[in-house]
Amino acid sequence: MMTSEEGWTQFLGTVGRWGLALAALAALLLLSAVPLDISGFAGVRPFFALMAVYYWSILSTAPPPGVFAFGLVLDLLSGYPPGMTALLLVAAQAVTARNRKFLLGQPFLVIWAGFAVEALAAGAVQWLLFSLLALARMPLLPVLIAAALSALLFPLSVLPLAAVYRALSDRPEPP
Amino acid sequence: MAGKEDFWGIPVSLQRPQKPAIKSVPLKTVTVRATPAVLILLSLTLMVLHRAGTLPVERLRTAVMDVTAPVLAAVSAPVEGLVDNISGVASLQDLKAENARLRAENARLQKWYEAALEMKAENESFRQLLNVKADPAMSFVTARVVSDAGGTFVKSVLLPVGARDHVQRDSAVLSGQGLVGRVVEVGADASRVLLITDLNSDIPVIVQGTRIKAILAGKNGDLMKLERLPPDSGMTVGTQVATSGDGGQLPAGLPVGTIVSVSAQGVWVKPLADLDRLVYVQVVNAALNPALATGDIAPQDGQ
């Protein structure tokens, strides 16, 4: 039977983990929204949320309804049609989860390449959906630059993402 | 003893195991597998309903804005400070020259300020003489931009001021240089500004130096297009355009942009404000004439 002290430690651990998970989500949200006073950055902002969804989906299974809700909040915040980011993130999560077993055993370069493909696909789908909704051809170049920037920045974002994952699960080292 | 054989004499052990005709899949697995598809369908439905205008999303959006704007405001200030500091260290040696330049400019502006005061007094006395009905007085709320998350496809920014600060829908938003956009959503403590470069932005403007009115349409790029111009309107590069005040949404006479290209592809206007790097903006709360707001925006194209 668990002593009350053990119960407390476990309780605090759970609270801490939830807190950390929420803090990580808040940080992602901020990265996706805060103006960075860099000329032209707003038009080509990298897909930070996609990086997190991709990486965490390889390490473990992120709950799709949670991913959907997070995407919806991002949509409401950024003035996008509601469902746009939610769709992209849920689709990315489903595709990654399907290839999870393959990706888990691969060297980092392959995981990186996988993300680059996913970022490009996400950009293309976004461009297509926006063009369809606006019934006009949207400029393609900014979204391609955003996808390329996302791919370039992915290795940098992996370090904090891996640290959060390690703290959240008591599992051994991620790949 | 030999293994069991089938009707054709082939040992059963060598045959591929037969799959059962109906594979039983636990209900939970089905639910888990179907969830992404259901959520994707839900997202598509939401987008289509929103496009059709049947989704009352504005209240939800303003609620999210109200919750996140204070957090974003708290975070954006230090982030901006950090970027400022980095560029500040780089420009430290230019400080002395900069200071001298500013002193000279200040002296020059002081003279202009006095001239403006004189002209203002003179103008008021003329108005009184002519009994001109003055435009309604404007009030301003200044706010820092806390989010420009729209990015590639939506040109909008979030301000941490809302209905509590008397921000109204359709108010004009200015930077130091010119018109930035107009308020499209108002929460209690936050509001969203649709920038003039957004695809959904259409602003009635007048070309200065002429009496030609047109619609300045955002195209999601850096430039905006002058539409509904009368044929052979003879636009020239370098001419400024300002709001015309038609439709009663925006006050008249706010500077918007400069014509940078006149070609067969149309007349293109560059915004005066640096929309990529907005820090502080002013929301104009003009007491607009409601009678005008119901009026038709009549384009000057003879239609």
Side-chain angles (χ1 to χ4, degrees):
Chain A
M1 202 187 135
M2 215 161 33
T3 64
S4 73
E5 198 177 320
E6 273 174 346
W8 261 110
T9 319
Q10 199 176 27
F11 173 72
L12 285 179
T14 312
V15 168
R17 252 177 251 174
W18 270 100
L20 183 67
L22 286 177
L25 287 181
L28 270 175
L29 201 124
L30 290 175
L31 266 178
S32 311
V34 168
L36 285 176
D37 198 23
I38 301 167
S39 197
F41 181 76
V44 294
R45 192 184 283 272
F47 314 139
F48 290 111
L50 188 71
M51 295 181 195
V53 165
Y54 175 77
Y55 193 63
W56 285 338
S57 297
I58 296 177
L59 293 182
S60 71
T61 43
V67 174
F68 175 80
F70 186 70
L72 206 57
V73 168
L74 271 179
D75 282 332
L76 292 173
L77 188 68
S78 56
Y80 274 19
M84 177 72 69
T85 311
L87 180 145
L88 288 174
L89 293 185
V90 168
Q93 200 262 345
V95 170
T96 317
R98 192 158 276 233
N99 298 305
R100 187 172 169 239
K101 283 212 176 96
F102 165 75
L103 286 166
L104 260 176
Q106 298 299 320
F108 182 71
L109 221 57
V110 175
I111 292 180
W112 190 3
F115 176 75
V117 171
E118 215 158 271
L120 198 67
V125 170
Q126 206 179 27
W127 175 82
L128 190 72
L129 286 174
F130 264 105
S131 297
L132 281 176
L133 285 175
L135 298 176
R137 201 177 154 276
M138 289 283 182
L140 186 61
L141 188 66
V143 78
L144 289 181
I145 296 175
L149 262 182
S150 312
L152 276 177
L153 289 178
F154 179 69
L156 282 180
S157 72
V158 158
L159 293 172
L161 288 174
V164 169
Y165 174 76
R166 261 199 302 270
L168 285 178
S169 65
D170 301 319
R171 290 186 210 181
E173 295 283 301
Chain B
M1 186 188 146
K4 213 174 160 189
E5 288 170 0
D6 71 356
F7 180 77
W8 311 101
I10 299 167
V12 172
S13 59
L14 290 180
Q15 290 177 13
R16 292 176 68 182
Q18 294 278 313
K19 282 184 185 169
I22 301 166
K23 196 176 167 189
S24 75
V25 180
L27 186 65
K28 198 182 163 197
T29 320
V30 174
T31 329
V32 167
R33 278 188 199 158
T35 312
V38 170
L39 290 174
I40 287 172
L41 265 178
L42 183 62
S43 308
L44 282 172
T45 315
L46 280 176
M47 270 187 276
V48 171
L49 286 180
H50 177 68
R51 179 72 172 84
T54 48
L55 196 67
V57 79
E58 188 167 335
R59 282 187 58 189
L60 197 61
R61 213 190 269 282
T62 50
V64 170
M65 272 154 50
D66 277 343
V67 173
T68 46
V71 184
L72 289 168
V75 175
S76 71
V79 168
E80 188 205 320
L82 192 73
V83 175
D84 267 4
N85 278 339
I86 294 168
S87 52
V89 170
S91 63
L92 209 60
Q93 55 262 58
D94 305 333
L95 216 59
K96 216 172 162 182
E98 175 93 359
N99 207 358
R101 195 181 61 76
L102 287 176
R103 271 174 205 280
E105 191 174 298
N106 196 23
R108 200 164 53 80
L109 289 177
Q110 191 66 39
K111 283 183 197 144
W112 273 112
Y113 175 67
E114 280 153 19
L117 282 183
E118 264 173 45
M119 281 181 192
K120 191 183 170 200
E122 196 179 42
N123 209 349
E124 265 167 23
S125 68
F126 282 154
R127 274 177 198 275
Q128 276 177 3
L129 278 172
L130 290 169
N131 204 11
V132 173
K133 190 177 175 294
D135 286 339
M138 289 192 239
S139 60
F140 297 94
V141 182
T142 303
R144 173 206 288 279
V145 171
V146 292
S147 167
D148 55 1
T152 319
F153 295 110
V154 177
K155 307 287 178 190
S156 78
V157 295
L158 202 65
L159 303 179
V161 289
R164 264 194 255 260
D165 310 282
H166 308 291
V167 171
Q168 294 158 11
R169 212 190 143 116
D170 290 326
S171 301
V173 180
L174 305 171
S175 78
Q177 293 90 30
L179 185 72
V180 164
R182 64 186 171 86
V183 175
V184 286
E185 282 163 0
V186 186
D189 295 306
S191 47
R192 173 179 307 287
V193 179
L194 189 74
L195 300 182
I196 48 179
T197 46
D198 189 275
L199 197 69
N200 294 310
S201 168
D202 286 326
I203 292 168
V205 291
I206 186 161
V207 181
Q208 291 192 336
T210 69
R211 293 177 68 185
I212 297 169
K213 289 181 178 176
I215 298 289
L216 191 61
K219 294 289 169 197
N220 262 14
D222 294 332
L223 302 180
M224 302 163 287
K225 194 177 181 189
L226 266 187
E227 292 180 346
R228 307 208 197 175
L229 271 172
D232 305 323
S233 49
M235 296 288 117
T236 48
V237 171
T239 316
Q240 283 212 353
V241 296
T243 52
S244 67
D246 281 356
Q249 274 192 348
L250 301 172
L254 301 173
V256 185
T258 314
I259 296 178
V260 288
S261 151
V262 181
S263 66
Q265 279 82 46
V267 180
W268 293 87
V269 174
K270 187 176 190 294
L272 289 170
D274 185 0
L275 299 177
D276 276 340
R277 304 177 75 172
L278 292 172
V279 183
Y280 284 100
V281 292
Q282 283 181 320
V283 184
V284 182
N285 295 316
L288 293 170
N289 186 349
L292 275 178
T294 55
D296 202 14
I297 304 173
Q300 302 285 301
D301 57 357
Q303 285 176 12

